[in-house]
């Protein structure tokens, strides 16, 4: 489980590096962020993250706290976590939740674990 959890921790560490983050994803990844935006495909996610890093969204930082991880199949894993959000944007924006429940699905491909799906649900 250590290598599976490390991919999730790396996704947190690379949140402001669109190319590094995208390297952790399967080609057909499905991502739903804390604001409800759905992105499908590694290149779509990469482009959205590049756009976000060029905007005030670069001032929104998150921290992942892993709760659990388990294998569903030998090549499929689930990781549950809490996402803590720090919104440091200077201008008035739609408020973001302070915390979200996040579920990662990882697939073992080409001798490594990659994120196939990530869903974040705001916690009120």
């Amino acid at each position: 489980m250590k290598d599976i959890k490390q991919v999730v921790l790396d996704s947190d560490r690379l949140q402001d590096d669109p190319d590094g983050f995208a390297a952790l994803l399967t080609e057909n990844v499905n991502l739903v962020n804390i604001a409800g935006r759905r992105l499908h495909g590694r290149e779509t996610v990469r482009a959205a993250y590049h756009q976000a890093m060029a905007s005030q969204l670069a001032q929104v930082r998150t921290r992942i706290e892993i709760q659990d991880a388990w294998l569903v199949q030998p090549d499929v894993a689930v990781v549950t976590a809490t996402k803590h959000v720090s919104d440091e944007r200077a201008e008035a924006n739609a408020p973001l939740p302070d915390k979200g429940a996040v579920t990662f699905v990882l697939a073992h491909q080409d001798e490594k674990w990659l994120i196939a799906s990530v869903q974040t649900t705001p916690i009120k």
Side-chain angles (χ1 to χ4, degrees), residues 37-92:
R37 184 175 181 195
R38 181 180 305 274
L39 301 170
H40 183 77
R42 180 189 301 134
E43 295 312 315
T44 300
V45 172
R46 183 192 318 268
Y49 271 55
H50 272 289
Q51 185 178 34
M53 290 301 103
S55 76
Q56 280 204 3
L57 288 175
Q59 297 166 359
V60 176
R61 302 292 302 162
T62 63
R63 179 180 55 83
I64 296 288
E65 177 185 358
I66 295 174
Q67 266 76 53
D68 202 1
W70 65 94
L71 289 175
V72 177
Q73 297 284 327
D75 59 349
V76 178
V78 173
V79 177
T80 57
T82 300
K83 180 176 277 194
H84 301 275
V85 180
S86 175
D87 189 348
E88 303 297 329
R89 295 177 289 180
E91 296 179 19

Side-chain angles (χ1 to χ4, degrees), residues 90-123:
E91 296 179 19
N93 293 281
L96 292 172
D98 294 336
K99 201 166 28 171
V102 59
T103 303
F104 292 84
V105 177
L106 288 87
H108 196 254
Q109 297 179 349
D110 301 324
E111 305 295 322
K112 60 187 173 187
W113 287 96
L114 296 172
I115 298 168
S117 180
V118 59
Q119 164 78 47
T120 306
T121 303
I123 298 173

